[in-house]
Amino acid sequence: MNRLSVEEFHQAEKTPLIVVLDDVRSMHNVGSVFRTADAFRLEAVYLCGITGCPPHNEIHKTALGAEDSVEWRYFKTALEAVEELKGRGVTVLSVEQAVDSTKLPQFQPEPGKSYAIIMGNEVKGVHQEVIDASDGCLEIPQFGTKHSMNVSVTAGIVIYHFVLHSLFD
């Protein structure tokens, strides 16, 4: 199936995208984000606040080892992660329903630019101070009776949008 080894993954060129998890409490969601980050060879996953960190059996259950291939860092708060990212020139976008958010289909990543997306807590979303510190918000249009989706599903949709437009445009 032409899979990379963990060592080859570490050496391979990465998609210039970091996923920041802001107080994500479900270890299954964390593991799922790691697995998606591995699938699309993302730069890193930043774990913030109460978000669980590897090694953890519940993360491993859904990550299936991706927690070993994908680089990760822990920050006490997502705001600290945002400050570090912006200090490196990374464009930071919160994924949240907010005034003046950009609908995901209208967003086009700029070639050569590095991005980070902030994914929020399963109930409360992205902290307001993190939204305020972000360079903008992305929102997935929804058409049903619910106004939110599972955080790992949302992450997968947004990550795929970035990869699709980064690799094929």
Side-chain angles (χ1 to χ4, degrees):
M1 293 186 78
N2 203 23
R3 303 271 186 220
L4 299 177
S5 68
V6 171
E7 295 77 25
E8 290 169 328
F9 185 96
H10 287 291
Q11 300 302 315
E13 185 176 353
K14 305 292 186 295
T15 301
L17 180 63
I18 295 171
V19 178
V20 179
L21 300 181
D22 180 11
D23 282 344
V24 172
R25 51 183 193 172
S26 166
M27 299 305 152
H28 295 283
N29 282 333
V30 175
S32 182
V33 169
F34 267 105
R35 197 159 158 195
T36 303
D38 175 276
F40 294 109
R41 212 182 305 153
L42 300 191
E43 186 177 326
V45 174
Y46 285 6
L47 309 167
C48 305
I50 67 167
T51 306
C53 297
H56 192 287
N57 286 340
E58 294 299 312
I59 292 173
H60 181 72
K61 189 181 286 186
T62 49
L64 297 178
E67 71 276 27
D68 299 324
S69 56
V70 176
E71 180 183 325
W72 64 271
R73 291 179 60 190
Y74 174 78
F75 291 83
K76 188 174 180 181
T77 69
L79 192 55
E80 290 176 12
V82 168
E83 291 168 355
E84 189 270 341
L85 289 161
K86 290 181 83 170
R88 292 193 291 125
V90 175
T91 300
V92 178
L93 301 167
S94 290
V95 180
E96 191 62 76
Q97 297 169 346
V99 174
D100 297 326
S101 64
T102 300
K103 302 294 190 230
L104 188 61
Q106 279 70 57
F107 178 76
Q108 296 292 322
E110 293 180 37
K113 233 177 160 179
S114 291
Y115 290 90
I117 55 171
I118 315 289
M119 306 303 304
N121 175 274
E122 292 90 341
V123 175
K124 298 178 182 179
V126 178
H127 285 96
Q128 187 60 51
E129 65 270 13
V130 174
I131 292 171
D132 294 342
S134 297
D135 295 303
C137 286
L138 295 177
E139 180 177 337
I140 299 171
Q142 297 172 50
F143 310 104
T145 62
K146 302 299 175 198
H147 297 287
S148 66
M149 293 184 287
N150 176 278
V151 66
S152 64
V153 171
T154 301
I157 292 168
V158 176
I159 290 167
Y160 188 72
H161 180 87
F162 269 86
V163 171
L164 183 67
H165 291 284
S166 296
L167 297 178
F168 303 111
D169 275 358

